[in-house]
Amino acid sequence: LFNSNMVKGDRATWTANYFVRIGKLLEEFPRIFIVGADNVRSKQMQEIRVSLRGIAEILMGKNTMMCKAIKAHIGNNPQLEKLLPHITGNVALVFSKDDPTLV
């Protein structure tokens, strides 16, 4: 039988890795913006990720996990709290070192 959990490992490990990844992104990139991802096909999302490679990183996930990870870093950067009310619906976080208008 095929166990679908084998691909990502167990849930606790995957969750811990997600929090580590978002923590690194929050520390590394000074600019974060939120984009809506409704009606975006997976192929189109992949093309966007490829085009942004080296310029920005896109992170998607459960909104509650994104909020929880951001709340954990509010002590380092109080401005992150302004993002929390906007993380609703199907959204992605885009981390960039460049001005968002250039991305």
Side-chain angles (χ1 to χ4, degrees):
L1 292 173
F2 176 74
N3 184 356
S4 64
N5 289 335
M6 291 174 63
V7 176
K8 294 182 184 175
D10 63 22
R11 185 177 304 267
T13 303
W14 185 87
T15 302
N17 289 339
Y18 184 85
F19 282 109
V20 168
R21 180 166 183 234
I22 197 168
K24 286 180 183 178
L25 291 171
L26 287 168
E27 291 171 12
E28 181 182 347
F29 293 97
R31 292 187 173 86
I32 305 165
F33 53 101
I34 299 171
V35 295
D38 284 336
N39 302 317
V40 179
R41 299 179 326 272
S42 58
K43 175 75 173 158
Q44 186 177 6
M45 185 59 75
Q46 183 62 27
E47 291 168 356
I48 293 168
R49 286 181 191 268
V50 169
S51 69
L52 291 177
R53 205 169 278 161
I55 301 168
E57 290 221 21
I58 300 175
L59 181 74
M60 297 186 78
K62 299 241 179 226
N63 292 354
T64 52
M65 287 179 58
M66 287 192 275
C67 287
K68 195 173 184 180
I70 289 172
K71 286 177 186 175
H73 284 272
I74 286 178
N76 300 342
N77 185 355
Q79 299 246 342
L80 291 173
E81 192 167 3
K82 294 178 182 178
L83 292 175
L84 297 176
H86 302 287
I87 300 177
T88 58
N90 191 14
V91 296
L93 298 177
V94 180
F95 297 85
S96 175
K97 293 182 182 175
D98 295 330
D99 184 29
T101 57
L102 301 174
V103 176

